[in-house]
Amino acid sequence: DIQTLRLSVSQLEKGGYPHFMLKEIYEQPNTIFDCIRGRVVNNATEIKLSGVIDHSDRFINARRIIIVACGTSWHAALIGQRLLQDIARIPTSVEYASEFRYSNPVLTSDDIVIAISQSGETADTLAAIKLARENGAFVYGVCNVVGSSIARETDTGTYIHVGPEIGVASTKAFTGQVTVLAMLALAVAQLRGTISQEKLSEFSRSIEQLPSLIKETLKLNDAIEKLSSTYTYVRNFLYLGRGYNYPSALEGALKLKEISYIHAEGYPAAEMKHGPIALIDREMPTVVIAPSDELHEKIISNIQQVKARGGSVIAIVTRGDTTIPEIADHTLEIPPVPEALSPIIVSIPLQLLAYHIAVMKGCNVDMPRNLAKSVTVE
Amino acid sequence: DIQTLRLSVSQLEKGGYPHFMLKEIYEQPNTIFDCIRGRVVNNATEIKLSGVIDHSDRFINARRIIIVACGTSWHAALIGQRLLQDIARIPTSVEYASEFRYSNPVLTSDDIVIAISQSGETADTLAAIKLARENGAFVYGVCNVVGSSIARETDTGTYIHVGPEIGVASTKAFTGQVTVLAMLALAVAQLRGTISQEKLSEFSRSIEQLPSLIKETLKLNDAIEKLSSTYTYVRNFLYLGRGYNYPSALEGALKLKEISYIHAEGYPAAEMKHGPIALIDREMPTVVIAPSDELHEKIISNIQQVKARGGSVIAIVTRGDTTIPEIADHTLEIPPVPEALSPIIVSIPLQLLAYHIAVMKGCNVDMPRNLAKSVTVE
C-alpha cells in the first residue's frame, strides 16, 4: 500500500506545527542546549565565553555597563541588568537604543556597551553602537544572525545560536538572549572574583538543566490552550511581576499585544497601586508571575488586591505552591528554578498563552499586522 | 441689597473650581513661581540650592546618581536622569523604589541617591532610602510636604514648595519636581564646571519664564474640553514621545489611566514599531508629543505611520508648526520652550485632556477608584 503524504513545503518547514511561532516555542529545549554548548564547561565549573576571555581587562576594569536594545531584546536587557549587577557587581543601566542614539551619553573608555538584537540589523541599535564607539566605549554584541551588521560593528560578543527565527514575535531568541546574559554575568563574575567557585558551579549546573526544565514546562500547553478560550474576547490585560520577573511581565504583555492585538501592559507589581489598579474590573484580567521566591508574600498580596476589585487572575507559580491556587482563577505550575534563571522558564507559559489566544482570535500569529521581523529602518 | 452667596466649605477650598484637580492644574503658574523663588538668583546668573551648596564635595566627586521613585515621581525621575546627564554630565539611572529596595544594588559612598516623593511618605521610597544609606550612599530628597518622613530620613534635599496637593492624580507636584530637577542639574553643573556661564544664564532665564509660559498654555483649556468629547467612549489610548518627552508620554498616559479608567499606555515613539503599532486601528487614538526639536522629522514620520493604519492623532506641537496640523486630527499648540524644559509645558495639555475626558465620563476625578493619594503601604 502506498500512502500519499499531503504536505506543503511550508508545512514541512514548520516541522508539522501549524505555525512557525509554535514550532519555535517547542524548539527551545534544543535551542537553549545549543546556546550553552561549549560555554558551560569542565563539569560546570567554568563559563567559557571567548568574547570575555579575549577582552578580560575591559571587564575587570569596567566602571559601568550600559545595555542598548529595542523591543523584546530590551526586555532581555532589563534581566541582563539585574544579572550583571547581582552577580558581577558592575553598575548597569538599560537604554532604548532609539533614545540612546539621540542622547548625549556620559561615556568613557572604561564603560562597556552591550548591544542586543536578534537579527543583528536593528537600525536604532546599530546607530547606538556607532555612538558608543565614537565615545570610546567597548561594545559587546549579543545577536543571533551570524555575520550580521551588529556582529561586525561590535568589538566582540556572543552569538545566541538558536537558529533562524521566522515568527515575527520573538520567542526562542528571547530565551537565548537571557541565557547568554546569565552566562556573561557568570563569566565576568569569575574574572572579577565576585562569585565563589561553589556558587558558580551551582549556577552553571542550573543553566545546564534549563533544556530539561523547558521541556517539562512545555507540558503546560494543553492547559493553556484550554484556559485561553476564556480570554479570547478580552480587550485589555495587565501583566505583573517583581524582581527578575518584572521584565517577564513586560515581555509577556508584548507577546500578547504583538500577535493578538489585545492591549496588554506589563508593570512591576508594586507599581500597580500607583495607577494601573484603577483599571482593574471584571473586564480586565491580570497575569501574575508569582514563583516561590523571597517576595512571594508580596505578590500574594498583589493578587488579593486584584481579586478584591473583581479582576480575574492567571497566576504562574512554582510547583507545590498551595496558597495562590486557592485565590487565583487559573494557576500554571512551573518547575522550581533559581530566581535569576526563572524568566527563561516563565516565558514558556507566557509565549503559549499569547499564541493560543491569538490563534483562537483568528490572528495571523506568524505575521501580525503592521509589524516587521527585523526593524531595519528608524 | 444683601446677596446670599451659596458656597459650601469644599467649594471655597476649591477656589471656585469644580474639582481640586482643575484648581491645582490652574495653580501651576503660581506654584512654579514659588518653586523657583530664591533659587534662580542674581539676575538669573546663579542657581542657589542649599542642599547642593552644603554638600558640594559630594556632587563634585559623584561617580553616579541613582534616582528612586514611584508612579508620577518616577516619571519626573526619568526627566531628571536626562537633565543630570546632559547638563551635569554625571552617569544617572532611574529605579522603581519598589524594585530597588529588594535588589542588591552596587552602591558606594561616591554615589548619590535622589529620592522623589510628593508626600514624602511613600513606603517603598522610604525603604529604598534606608537601603541606600546602609550602603553608604549620600541621599538627596525631593519632596513637597515639609517635615515629612523622607525629608527627615535623607541627608539633605530640596522642597518643591507647590503647596498641598489634594487631587489623587498628581499635577502641580509633577511640574514642581521637574522644575527642581532642572535647577538641581544646573546647580551641580555650575559646581562641576560642565556648563558655561552664558548657557547657565540662558537656561535660568528660561526657568524664570516658566510661570508665564504655563499661564499661556492654560488657554488651551477650552479647545481641549471641546475635543475631549470625541474621546469619551474610547477604551484604549497610546501616548508617544521622544527624548525629554518620552517620560511625558508615560505621565500623560498615567493621568488618563488614573482618573478616567481608560487603558492608556505611553511609549518612546521609536519603540512603536516593535509592538504597539499592531494595536493601532480606528478605535485606538494616539497622543503624540511633537514639539519642534531636533527629532521633529522623526516624530512626523511616527504620526504618518499611525494615520496610515487608520488611527486618529492628537498632537501637541510648538506654535507655528505648519506640517503636523495638516496630518493630525487635533493639534494643540504650546509656546516655544527649550527642549529640556518642555516636559513642564507639555504636561499642561496632557493634564487637561485627562481631566476633561474623565469629567465627561462622569468619573470622580479627585478620588479615583482604588487609588490613594499617598501610598504609605507596600
Side-chain angles (χ1 to χ4, degrees):
Chain A
D1 261 18
I2 293 171
Q3 293 196 328
T4 311
L5 197 63
R6 288 179 179 275
L7 276 176
S8 68
V9 173
S10 111
Q11 278 174 307
L12 274 175
E13 285 170 343
K14 288 177 193 161
Y17 289 95
H19 300 97
F20 283 110
M21 185 179 173
L22 192 63
K23 171 174 176 267
E24 288 160 1
I25 291 172
Y26 269 90
E27 272 175 3
Q28 290 173 100
N30 296 326
T31 57
I32 298 303
F33 183 82
D34 291 340
C35 176
I36 66 185
R37 195 209 315 258
R39 290 164 171 178
V40 179
V41 296
N42 291 337
N43 202 19
T45 59
E46 199 188 333
I47 300 288
K48 200 173 140 193
L49 294 179
S50 61
V52 176
I53 295 165
D54 296 347
H55 302 271
S56 55
D57 55 322
R58 290 288 198 160
F59 285 96
I60 289 168
N61 301 318
R63 189 185 65 142
R64 196 163 69 112
I65 294 174
I66 300 159
I67 317 181
V68 295
C70 304
T72 288
S73 304
W74 188 79
H75 298 152
L78 291 174
I79 300 166
Q81 172 186 25
R82 191 99 183 200
L83 286 161
L84 286 158
Q85 291 199 157
D86 278 358
I87 301 170
R89 309 301 291 152
I90 303 175
T92 305
S93 56
V94 175
E95 300 283 345
Y96 288 108
S98 61
E99 289 293 322
F100 181 83
R101 66 179 292 193
Y102 292 113
S103 71
N104 179 13
V106 189
L107 279 178
T108 73
S109 56
D110 292 332
D111 295 327
I112 296 174
V113 170
I114 299 176
I116 310 177
S117 162
Q118 186 282 130
S119 66
E121 305 293 344
T122 313
D124 284 325
T125 311
L126 265 167
I129 290 169
K130 192 158 171 275
L131 178 66
R133 292 188 63 141
E134 282 167 8
N135 281 271
F138 173 72
V139 184
Y140 198 96
V142 175
C143 25
N144 189 31
V145 178
V146 176
S148 57
S149 302
I150 289 180
R152 284 181 279 116
E153 298 290 326
T154 46
D155 290 298
T156 184
T158 302
Y159 284 116
I160 61 174
H161 284 323
V162 299
E165 189 176 64
I166 311 292
V168 166
S170 179
T171 53
K172 64 178 182 175
F174 175 73
T175 51
Q177 288 164 347
V178 177
T179 304
V180 161
L181 291 165
M183 292 189 293
L184 180 63
L186 284 178
V188 175
Q190 214 169 3
L191 265 185
R192 292 171 65 103
T194 56
I195 193 169
S196 68
Q197 181 59 52
E198 195 191 337
K199 285 217 161 177
L200 178 89
S201 297
E202 191 189 323
F203 204 108
S204 301
R205 278 193 300 272
S206 296
I207 291 177
E208 286 186 327
Q209 285 158 13
L210 285 171
S212 69
L213 292 177
I214 294 171
K215 206 168 172 181
E216 195 183 333
T217 309
L218 284 165
K219 291 180 188 157
L220 288 171
N221 183 59
D222 291 354
I224 294 170
E225 185 175 6
K226 205 174 152 209
L227 80 85
S228 292
S229 63
T230 313
Y231 297 99
T232 312
Y233 296 104
V234 156
R235 297 180 55 162
N236 295 275
F237 248 104
L238 190 64
Y239 282 66
L240 300 177
R242 298 188 76 126
Y244 276 96
N245 286 306
Y246 144 55
S248 305
L250 298 182
E251 174 60 9
L254 180 60
K255 284 293 97 75
L256 191 65
K257 200 181 253 171
E258 284 177 306
I259 60 172
S260 77
Y261 320 138
I262 292 172
H263 188 184
E265 184 173 10
Y267 254 99
E271 276 289 304
M272 181 175 71
K273 56 193 176 298
H274 293 281
I277 201 169
L279 299 179
I280 298 289
D281 60 19
R282 280 181 303 174
E283 291 178 42
M284 187 169 189
T286 303
V287 175
V288 185
I289 303 160
S292 299
D293 55 25
E294 283 178 24
L295 297 175
H296 198 235
E297 287 303 315
K298 313 276 173 203
I299 209 129
I300 289 172
S301 145
N302 293 133
I303 294 174
Q304 286 163 335
Q305 286 157 24
V306 172
K307 290 305 300 173
R309 280 147 189 97
S312 62
V313 170
I314 302 170
I316 298 173
V317 304
T318 304
R319 195 171 56 220
D321 185 325
T322 53
T323 314
I324 293 179
E326 291 195 4
I327 47 175
D329 299 82
H330 302 278
T331 306
L332 298 169
E333 286 192 344
I334 58 167
V337 57
E339 193 178 342
L341 296 174
S342 63
I344 297 166
I345 303 305
V346 157
S347 69
I348 305 297
L350 295 176
Q351 293 165 358
L352 289 168
L353 182 68
Y355 172 79
H356 287 297
I357 290 178
V359 167
M360 285 178 192
K361 280 191 74 171
C363 300
N364 184 345
V365 293
D366 282 337
M367 291 189 66
R369 70 182 183 197
N370 305 346
L371 295 178
K373 177 63 187 161
S374 109
V375 182
T376 55
V377 294
E378 266 195 65
Chain B
D1 261 20
I2 293 173
Q3 293 196 330
T4 310
L5 197 64
R6 288 178 180 276
L7 276 176
S8 68
V9 173
S10 113
Q11 278 173 307
L12 273 177
E13 285 171 342
K14 287 177 191 161
Y17 290 95
H19 300 98
F20 283 110
M21 184 177 173
L22 193 62
K23 170 173 177 268
E24 288 161 1
I25 290 172
Y26 270 90
E27 272 175 1
Q28 290 174 103
N30 295 327
T31 58
I32 297 304
F33 183 83
D34 290 342
C35 177
I36 65 185
R37 194 207 317 255
R39 291 163 171 178
V40 178
V41 295
N42 289 339
N43 201 19
T45 59
E46 200 188 333
I47 300 289
K48 200 172 141 193
L49 294 179
S50 61
V52 176
I53 295 165
D54 296 347
H55 301 271
S56 55
D57 54 320
R58 290 288 198 160
F59 285 97
I60 290 169
N61 301 318
R63 190 183 65 141
R64 196 162 69 112
I65 294 174
I66 300 160
I67 317 181
V68 295
C70 304
T72 288
S73 304
W74 188 79
H75 299 151
L78 291 175
I79 300 165
Q81 172 186 24
R82 192 99 184 199
L83 287 161
L84 286 159
Q85 291 199 157
D86 278 358
I87 301 170
R89 307 302 291 154
I90 303 175
T92 305
S93 56
V94 175
E95 301 283 347
Y96 286 108
S98 61
E99 289 292 323
F100 181 83
R101 66 179 291 193
Y102 292 113
S103 71
N104 179 13
V106 188
L107 278 180
T108 73
S109 56
D110 292 331
D111 295 328
I112 295 174
V113 171
I114 298 176
I116 310 178
S117 162
Q118 187 280 129
S119 66
E121 304 294 342
T122 314
D124 284 325
T125 310
L126 265 168
I129 290 169
K130 192 158 172 276
L131 177 66
R133 293 189 62 141
E134 282 166 9
N135 281 271
F138 172 72
V139 184
Y140 197 96
V142 175
C143 21
N144 189 30
V145 178
V146 176
S148 58
S149 301
I150 289 180
R152 283 181 279 117
E153 298 290 327
T154 45
D155 290 298
T156 184
T158 302
Y159 285 118
I160 61 174
H161 284 321
V162 300
E165 189 177 63
I166 311 293
V168 166
S170 179
T171 52
K172 64 178 182 174
F174 175 72
T175 49
Q177 288 164 347
V178 177
T179 305
V180 161
L181 291 165
M183 292 189 293
L184 180 63
L186 283 179
V188 174
Q190 211 169 6
L191 263 185
R192 293 170 64 103
T194 56
I195 193 168
S196 66
Q197 182 58 53
E198 194 192 337
K199 285 216 161 178
L200 177 90
S201 298
E202 191 188 322
F203 204 109
S204 301
R205 276 193 300 271
S206 296
I207 291 177
E208 286 185 328
Q209 284 158 13
L210 285 171
S212 69
L213 292 177
I214 294 171
K215 204 167 173 184
E216 193 181 334
T217 309
L218 283 165
K219 292 182 189 155
L220 288 170
N221 183 58
D222 291 353
I224 294 171
E225 184 174 8
K226 202 173 155 211
L227 80 85
S228 292
S229 64
T230 314
Y231 297 99
T232 314
Y233 295 103
V234 157
R235 298 179 55 161
N236 295 275
F237 247 104
L238 190 63
Y239 282 66
L240 300 176
R242 298 188 78 129
Y244 275 97
N245 286 307
Y246 145 55
S248 306
L250 299 182
E251 174 60 9
L254 180 60
K255 283 296 97 94
L256 191 65
K257 202 181 250 169
E258 285 178 305
I259 60 172
S260 77
Y261 320 138
I262 292 173
H263 188 184
E265 185 173 9
Y267 256 98
E271 276 289 303
M272 180 176 71
K273 56 193 178 298
H274 293 280
I277 200 170
L279 299 179
I280 298 290
D281 61 17
R282 279 181 302 175
E283 292 179 41
M284 188 168 188
T286 303
V287 175
V288 184
I289 303 160
S292 299
D293 55 26
E294 282 178 24
L295 297 175
H296 197 236
E297 286 303 314
K298 313 278 174 203
I299 209 127
I300 290 172
S301 146
N302 294 132
I303 294 173
Q304 285 163 336
Q305 287 157 25
V306 171
K307 290 304 299 172
R309 280 144 190 100
S312 62
V313 171
I314 302 170
I316 298 173
V317 304
T318 304
R319 195 173 53 222
D321 186 325
T322 53
T323 313
I324 293 179
E326 291 195 3
I327 47 176
D329 298 83
H330 301 279
T331 306
L332 298 169
E333 286 191 343
I334 58 168
V337 56
E339 193 177 342
L341 296 175
S342 63
I344 297 166
I345 302 304
V346 157
S347 69
I348 305 298
L350 295 175
Q351 293 165 359
L352 289 169
L353 183 67
Y355 173 79
H356 286 297
I357 290 178
V359 168
M360 284 178 193
K361 280 190 75 170
C363 300
N364 183 345
V365 293
D366 282 336
M367 292 190 64
R369 70 184 185 195
N370 306 344
L371 296 177
K373 178 62 189 163
S374 111
V375 182
T376 55
V377 296
E378 267 196 65

